[in-house]
Amino acid sequence: MAALQTRILKNKITRWDFFLPGFFALAITMLPALVAAQPNIWLPPGSTTEPSSSSPPEILNTNTKLNGRTLLGRLLFNSPTLLGEKAVRIGLSCNSCHPNGHVNTSFYISGLSSDPGTIDLTNDFWNAGQEDTIFNPIPIPSLRGVSKTAPYGRVLNLPSLAAFTSHVMIDEFGATPPKKTVLDALIDYMNQLETEQFAYKYIHVNPPQFSDLLDLLATPLRHQDISEFEFRADLIKEELGRQVTKENRAKLTEAAQSFRKIAQKMTKDPIIANRAFIELKDLFLEE
């Protein structure tokens, strides 16, 4: 039965072209290599990775606004780039299964879920080396208060959240090993996720401020690290895609185009690149 379900799933999935989810409303301008698509194109029929209702509140164990490494971790948590090729193709991020650290009880992929809110991760759809030939979906766990729940994993009992997260990314989803800076930022954000009893510490009701997003580009720009600059710029573009409205589309598109121009100038003329970055900050300075 498990083998049949796996073959059916593979046949469904390999027939379709995959794209990142539709929330990238500025995808063509902001991420030219990607094309936005409708869910019925990139998921098997009857599947959904979207919550049935609005996301649960983001409860964070901190009394300061999100910025710096924690904000970078939040962008990573919401990005489909961390979980391997298949996850990218269907637009799956950490937040897809764990919206704001909670559980997406509507999550369902035909052939990989037995009930909504479950997923089989020991299936070679994700990673050929993890196939156990058994259809064994497990409930998606909550990550609220995860910093206090060591050891991690049903079988492995890994001692740290970083070790467990690496295992999920590499062994279960087939992703490439993350850079230490990426993993550190992701864990920093996950360590802030709290349970309902700490709702009085709830912060960050609004989307990240543009000025805080831009600050994430300052260090790679200063070090002329084009690869890191473009990596972070893409994460920011994804966030801007989530924030886009009819009213701010032109402004956010201008920002996305500026990122590209700055990256192009970084090696040719760092002075002009820095000047363009300062002008961008001034132009989009929050009142």
Side-chain angles (χ1 to χ4, degrees), residues 60-256:
L60 303 176
N61 186 16
T62 180
N63 56 10
T64 60
K65 71 174 183 175
L66 283 185
N67 53 25
R69 192 168 78 171
T70 307
L71 175 56
L72 178 60
R74 187 180 192 268
L75 298 185
L76 291 163
F77 191 83
N78 281 274
S79 176
T81 60
L82 293 186
L83 298 179
E85 177 186 352
K86 296 292 178 64
V88 170
R89 288 179 176 178
I90 62 175
L92 190 71
S93 68
C94 299
N95 198 66
S96 300
C97 295
H98 313 280
N100 288 333
H102 198 43
V103 177
N104 181 358
T105 56
S106 299
F107 186 97
Y108 186 89
I109 297 181
S110 297
L112 291 178
S113 300
S114 55
D115 298 294
T118 67
I119 188 68
D120 182 359
L121 291 174
T122 54
N123 186 293
D124 66 1
F125 168 70
W126 306 109
N127 186 354
Q130 287 296 104
E131 176 61 65
D132 62 359
T133 71
I134 302 171
F135 182 62
N136 52 354
I138 61 173
I140 296 171
S142 172
L143 296 182
R144 287 182 167 180
V146 69
S147 64
K148 305 177 182 66
T149 59
Y152 301 94
R154 292 170 175 263
V155 178
L156 298 179
N157 289 323
L158 294 167
S160 71
L161 183 56
F164 176 69
T165 303
S166 294
H167 162 71
V168 171
M169 293 169 63
I170 301 168
D171 299 325
E172 294 185 348
F173 283 97
T176 57
K179 296 193 299 185
K180 184 178 186 302
T181 52
V182 167
L183 185 60
D184 287 349
L186 181 61
I187 298 304
D188 197 54
Y189 171 73
M190 292 170 64
N191 277 333
Q192 304 300 324
L193 295 170
E194 267 298 354
T195 56
E196 292 282 359
Q197 63 179 313
F198 290 97
Y200 69 94
K201 293 184 177 180
Y202 172 79
I203 67 159
H204 209 64
V205 176
N206 297 316
Q209 295 292 300
F210 190 77
S211 58
D212 292 326
L213 294 171
L214 278 184
D215 286 342
L216 296 177
L217 300 175
T219 297
L221 177 62
R222 185 169 61 252
H223 295 298
Q224 297 184 47
D225 187 341
I226 296 178
S227 176
E228 183 66 16
F229 182 93
E230 292 180 333
F231 174 70
R232 294 188 180 197
D234 283 346
L235 293 174
I236 294 171
K237 291 172 187 176
E238 291 176 9
E239 176 59 36
L240 297 184
R242 289 185 283 268
Q243 295 186 22
V244 71
T245 64
K246 182 179 179 180
E247 291 72 25
N248 68 15
R249 180 185 299 272
K251 187 175 183 179
L252 298 188
T253 299
E254 182 179 356

